[in-house]
């Protein structure tokens, strides 16, 4: 298969799997609507997802990467809707509004800086670094859960379907980043692959005793971004 055809196929499959990953938030929001409450779950993943997608959308526009821009404009819209739905059904509206306001300020600051920067190459570099930092920061979130699994020697608390999907999506974007020689796409997705592999290995080392317990209750509270 020729390289252009491979890139086109990879772009298509990566967009499809990534959008499906984003849509996992719809399952969570549907449960909120059914219960008329967010319960004890956190809405911060929705806010983080909105910030991450918005930053990558900006990066895609700067680098003229239509695939990156396209998939992240879908992600930004979805996560914004998820965030609004969470706000409607949560009882802790003030703290949540503060979190969302902080994220909007960060996004606004990045947009203003990149708009004022006359050196386009420098703006792309700064944008790429910010995107990497934010994405890598999000990858640190599951580390506490990994420590819990190692401590109790049971992977029951890890949602296998979401981790598998995360690995597939990260792998596809890593390969895409290698093909187009974009280190800002390669670095966070390489780390995402490694983290997913580490989590999947825990299923072998510490097999879950059941798939009906705490493991899949986390699906109600977890959104991958």
């Amino acid at each position: 298969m020729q390289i252009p055809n491979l890139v086109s196929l990879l772009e298509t499959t990566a967009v499809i799997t990534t959008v499906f990953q984003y849509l996992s938030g719809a399952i969570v929001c549907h449960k909120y609507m059914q219960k008329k409450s967010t319960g004890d779950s956190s809405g911060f993943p929705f806010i983080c997802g909105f910030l991450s997608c918005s930053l990558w959308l900006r990066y895609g526009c700067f680098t003229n990467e239509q695939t990156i821009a396209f998939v992240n404009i879908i992600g930004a819209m979805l996560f914004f809707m998820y965030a609004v739905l969470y706000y409607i059904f949560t009882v802790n509206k003030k703290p949540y509004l503060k979190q969302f306001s902080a994220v909007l300020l960060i996004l606004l600051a990045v947009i203003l800086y990149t708009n004022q920067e006359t050196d386009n190459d420098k703006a792309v570099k700064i944008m790429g670094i910010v995107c990497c930092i934010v994405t890598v920061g999000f990858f640190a979130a599951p580390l506490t859960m990994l420590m819990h699994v190692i401590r109790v020697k049971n992977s029951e608390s890890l949602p296998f379907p979401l981790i598998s999907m995360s690995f597939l999506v990260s792998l596809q974007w890593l390969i895409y980043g290698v093909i187009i020689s974009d280190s800002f796409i390669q670095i966070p997705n390489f780390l995402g692959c490694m983290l997913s592999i580490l989590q999947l290995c825990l299923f072998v080392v510490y097999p879950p005793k059941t798939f009906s317990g705490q493991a899949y209750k986390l699906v109600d509270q977890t959104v991958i971004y």
Side-chain angles (χ1 to χ4, degrees), residues 44-55:
F44 193 61
F46 296 134
I47 298 176
C48 291
F50 173 71
L51 175 61
S52 179
C53 288
S54 298
L55 290 173

Side-chain angles (χ1 to χ4, degrees), residues 35-205:
K35 297 175 182 177
K36 306 295 182 185
S37 171
T38 60
D40 296 329
S41 64
S42 170
F44 193 61
F46 296 134
I47 298 176
C48 291
F50 173 71
L51 175 61
S52 179
C53 288
S54 298
L55 290 173
W56 281 110
L57 169 60
R58 186 71 173 166
Y59 180 79
C61 292
F62 261 115
T63 56
N64 294 318
E65 283 294 335
Q66 295 182 356
T67 304
I68 298 293
F70 176 71
V71 74
N72 282 289
I73 195 170
I74 294 174
M77 289 190 296
L78 285 173
F79 280 113
F80 180 77
M81 288 190 293
Y82 299 155
V84 170
L85 280 170
Y86 184 91
Y87 177 78
I88 291 172
F89 292 108
T90 185
V91 294
N92 300 313
K93 290 188 178 353
K94 272 192 176 181
Y96 190 67
L97 198 56
K98 286 180 181 179
Q99 291 177 345
F100 196 72
S101 299
V103 163
L104 288 179
L105 286 174
I106 293 170
L107 187 58
L108 182 61
V110 172
I111 291 173
L112 288 175
Y113 171 78
T114 51
N115 278 344
Q116 292 176 357
E117 179 57 62
T118 55
D119 187 340
N120 189 64
D121 290 338
K122 185 178 178 181
V124 168
K125 186 177 180 180
I126 295 297
M127 196 72 241
I129 291 172
V130 171
C131 287
C132 282
I133 290 172
V134 170
T135 305
V136 171
F138 294 160
F139 286 150
L143 294 181
T144 53
M145 185 57 67
L146 297 188
M147 295 306 297
H148 170 74
V149 169
I150 295 170
R151 188 169 59 252
V152 301
K153 301 185 186 306
N154 185 356
S155 59
E156 193 175 276
S157 59
L158 296 176
F160 183 80
L162 294 183
I163 295 170
S164 301
M165 178 64 78
S166 181
F167 171 73
L168 177 61
V169 170
S170 294
L171 180 62
Q172 287 178 309
W173 287 115
L174 172 61
I175 296 171
Y176 179 77
V178 171
I179 291 174
I180 67 171
S181 301
D182 191 324
S183 58
F184 292 124
I185 296 176
Q186 294 171 25
I187 293 170
N189 285 292
F190 172 76
L191 293 174
C193 280
M194 292 299 100
L195 180 60
S196 297
I197 290 172
L198 177 59
Q199 292 178 92
L200 291 171
C201 286
L202 289 176
F203 282 95
V204 178
V205 178

